[in-house]
Amino acid sequence: MEPIFLKPYFRPKIWGGRKLKEIFNYDIPAGKVGEAWVISGYKRAASVAVNGVFKNQSLRKIYRENPELFGNPKSSEFPLLVKFLDACDNLSVQVHPDDSYAHKIENDSGKTESWYVLQADPGSYLIYGHTAKNRDELAEMIHHGEWDQLLRKVPVKAGDFFYVPAGTIHALTKGIMVIETQQSSDITYRLYDYDRIDQKTGKKRELHTQKSIDVTKVPYVDPKLNINVKQEKDATIKTFVTPPVSPHFYLWQVELDGDWQTGLVNHPYMLVTVISGTGVIKVDSKIYNISIGDNFIIPNMIKEFSFSGKMKMIISAPGSDN
Ligand code: ZN
């Protein structure tokens, strides 16, 4: 069994830029590209395997047809989605529904997401949470366009981590690049779009005001994270989230300068993205070169593997609900 290396799916966005090419050397389409869906089994936007017996098959198909690779999950939908986002301009202020609302209203999953900040221009901030004390106040401030009072602005720098549970009002803003690990869903309710005109259509993008008000958690409360760091040989492992705080995924950052026989083995499978540097992953006696921008899945049958090199990786695994 081999790691399954994946080719990203790119999405043009009005707020996107060219950094996905400049930083990761991805072969992106012309124009403004906002998102690379680097590990995706989503229906309209799945990533495709580039090696091994599954070469040229989408992750969506691989997951459906080979459940044993993923520890025989309950659902036939790949539950996680990993993206790079290049915010060359402000993204719309938005909120995502939770599972129960999304299943009922949208026939899709809810979306809890998380951001690990790769780059941030000096003075950058995120929109994360709101100030309304109750739902009536939230609706009133939205209807009156009191955005400066309503939206919480949080300063941000490279290396910061944010957990964004469903129901949290949020937005990336100009000059920020993140890797986003989230539930596989594409349901976004747009609350405010800075009154921008979409050049493609000559119109403002649609807002989803009532749905946004319905799904936003009030009052906003900071999620209680228990971020911790441990050393395993030459690897520094930072745990950002685990169940039950984050029911949908585990998420780690691994900074390696040397060798690491991973201890992260008690998971049905793992998703790995190299965010800087170069190295190798060894499986049995086989060695695979990896470097910045590479994305792969370590399937269930691979129980022993190790990494060597000087690199940083973001690693995730499905949560207890999968
Ligand atoms: Zn979002």
Side-chain angles (χ1 to χ4, degrees):
M1 197 63 229
E2 299 188 78
I4 303 169
F5 286 85
L6 296 163
K7 185 169 76 180
Y9 172 91
F10 300 105
R11 280 201 154 178
K13 290 281 177 181
I14 62 170
W15 45 261
R18 304 295 300 166
K19 278 189 193 152
L20 292 166
K21 164 109 185 109
E22 290 155 20
I23 296 173
F24 301 107
N25 201 27
Y26 287 148
D27 189 16
I28 62 175
K32 293 176 180 177
V33 178
E35 300 183 352
W37 291 32
V38 294
I39 303 181
S40 165
Y42 196 73
K43 48 196 164 205
R44 294 179 293 274
S47 34
V48 171
V50 296
N51 70 312
V53 290
F54 301 112
K55 192 172 175 178
N56 297 326
Q57 290 186 26
S58 74
L59 177 56
R60 183 174 182 78
K61 180 169 150 74
I62 299 167
Y63 191 79
R64 293 195 162 201
E65 295 180 358
N66 308 274
E68 68 283 4
L69 298 183
F70 303 92
N72 295 308
K74 283 176 248 161
S75 164
S76 58
E77 293 287 336
F78 189 73
L80 299 179
L81 174 57
V82 182
K83 300 177 184 177
F84 286 117
L85 276 78
D86 170 15
C88 215
D89 197 350
N90 295 332
L91 274 74
S92 60
V93 178
Q94 53 186 255
V95 59
H96 306 294
D98 63 13
D99 280 335
S100 70
Y101 188 96
H103 288 149
K104 204 164 61 192
I105 307 290
E106 309 285 358
N107 191 29
D108 201 334
S109 291
K111 188 154 114 174
T112 284
E113 59 190 43
S114 67
W115 298 321
Y116 176 82
V117 179
L118 298 165
Q119 289 189 352
D121 290 351
S124 301
Y125 64 90
L126 291 165
I127 289 171
Y128 184 67
H130 65 83
T131 61
K133 290 183 215 56
N134 54 53
R135 204 166 301 278
D136 288 345
E137 192 175 286
L138 175 73
E140 198 175 292
M141 290 172 93
I142 289 170
H143 288 130
H144 291 142
E146 294 170 10
W147 306 112
D148 282 347
Q149 296 94 306
L150 178 66
L151 303 173
R152 283 179 80 236
K153 289 182 177 177
V154 180
V156 65
K157 59 181 189 315
D160 285 351
F161 173 76
F162 292 85
Y163 183 64
V164 189
T168 308
I169 291 176
H170 64 277
L172 292 177
T173 58
K174 187 179 162 66
I176 299 175
M177 192 152 194
V178 299
I179 178 168
E180 190 173 77
T181 302
Q182 57 183 214
Q183 285 181 274
S184 185
S185 162
D186 202 20
I187 305 296
T188 294
Y189 298 145
R190 201 178 284 130
L191 183 56
Y192 175 52
D193 200 28
Y194 305 91
D195 299 314
R196 278 182 297 201
I197 304 292
D198 185 348
Q199 299 301 338
K200 268 206 307 248
T201 61
K203 288 190 205 139
K204 290 182 189 173
R205 296 192 294 174
E206 190 192 355
L207 298 179
H208 316 91
T209 308
Q210 190 54 48
K211 284 180 171 177
S212 298
I213 294 168
D214 291 344
V215 306
T216 297
K217 286 199 194 112
V218 283
Y220 166 77
V221 181
D222 265 326
K224 295 216 179 344
L225 304 183
N226 180 21
I227 295 175
N228 68 73
V229 180
K230 67 175 174 180
Q231 194 71 29
E232 281 182 12
K233 197 153 185 287
D234 303 326
T236 309
I237 299 146
K238 194 182 241 186
T239 303
F240 288 123
V241 282
T242 63
V245 170
S246 159
H248 307 290
F249 49 85
Y250 293 77
L251 189 69
W252 304 273
Q253 177 199 262
V254 176
E255 191 164 359
L256 179 63
D257 191 356
D259 302 308
W260 178 46
Q261 177 83 40
T262 171
L264 301 174
V265 287
N266 293 320
H267 298 279
Y269 57 96
M270 279 188 273
L271 291 62
V272 185
T273 296
V274 183
I275 59 167
S276 71
T278 58
V280 300
I281 174 171
K282 285 178 229 160
V283 179
D284 301 326
S285 53
K286 222 170 155 190
I287 291 175
Y288 303 84
N289 291 311
I290 54 177
S291 62
I292 180 170
D294 281 344
N295 300 280
F296 54 94
I297 289 177
I298 302 171
N300 194 263
M301 290 75 159
I302 298 180
K303 296 295 184 198
E304 269 184 40
F305 55 97
S306 62
F307 291 96
S308 303
K310 189 168 167 53
M311 59 188 168
K312 261 193 208 174
M313 296 176 282
I314 295 291
I315 302 182
S316 54
S320 40
D321 63 336
N322 293 295

